Amino acid sequence: MMKLAIASLLAGSAAAFVTAPSAKTSSAMNAFTVDNMPGALAPMGFFDPLGFADKADEKTLKRYREAEVTHGRVAMLAVIGFLVGEAVEGSSFLFDAQITGPAITHFEQVPDGWDALIITFIGASEAQRAQIGWVDPADASYDQPGLLRDDYYPGDINFDPLGLKPEDPEELDLMITKELQNGRLAMLAAAGFLAQEAVDGLGIIQHFQVGMIEKAVQL
């Protein structure tokens, strides 16, 4: 199951990492509702078993989507980080190749000072995202924390260095759906990686190697 999840994730479209479309071109932005927002695919359709969307107005629904797409992007990067970090351990030019073991232990092995730099970089990125998408807290009502700008489409931080964003609205909505689906799969995969490494202390790459050895022995 874990191998299938990884294979599906890596086989996903490169469009999964592309920013969401701007409000002026996306048909989804014109009516951000459960019926029109992208991300639903057969056979599940719009999957909301706890009914969060039923109780949400448009602004709240946009915040939900912003959280989903952002967590999905982080999870996609995390899955790649797990695999790449463990594949190059002991041979990387970084930190004298001293960082080894399961990926969940790598951050603890980073030399003093680098962790503060990493946290600063993450904080700066989040601050930039907030400036683009969020209403200044001083201008928002106390009962509307995290209010998004009216002209902001969830996830659209104007980052498309490869120019992959299509001009056609239908293609844009399809690209958003691809990103969301890959992000959802990545969130499950990253959670599985974390749990698996925490249980037995083996890296994900090691699990693949052990699996291959066991199959070879059975043959």
Side-chain angles (χ1 to χ4, degrees), residues 112-127:
D112 293 339
W114 282 94
D115 51 354
L117 182 62
I118 294 171
I119 294 173
T120 300
F121 175 77
I122 294 174
S125 300
E126 284 296 282

Side-chain angles (χ1 to χ4, degrees), residues 1 29 162:
M1 181 66 181
M29 184 57 187
L162 300 180

Side-chain angles (χ1 to χ4, degrees), residues 13-102:
S13 169
F17 294 94
V18 179
T19 181
S22 63
K24 296 180 180 179
T25 56
S26 174
S27 60
M29 184 57 187
N30 293 332
F32 203 85
T33 66
V34 170
D35 296 327
N36 295 321
M37 61 191 297
L41 287 177
M44 300 303 296
F46 187 83
F47 185 73
D48 182 24
L50 298 181
F52 287 112
D54 295 337
K55 308 170 186 176
D57 56 18
E58 183 177 355
K59 293 181 179 179
T60 302
L61 201 59
K62 288 176 66 176
R63 289 203 301 271
Y64 288 163
R65 176 49 55 86
E66 173 72 15
E68 180 180 24
V69 69
T70 301
H71 281 83
R73 289 169 177 172
V74 172
M76 285 187 279
L77 292 174
V79 169
I80 294 175
F82 266 97
L83 299 175
V84 174
E86 293 180 3
V88 302
E89 67 176 28
S91 60
S92 172
F93 64 91
L94 295 173
F95 312 122
D96 296 325
Q98 296 300 309
I99 297 180
T100 59

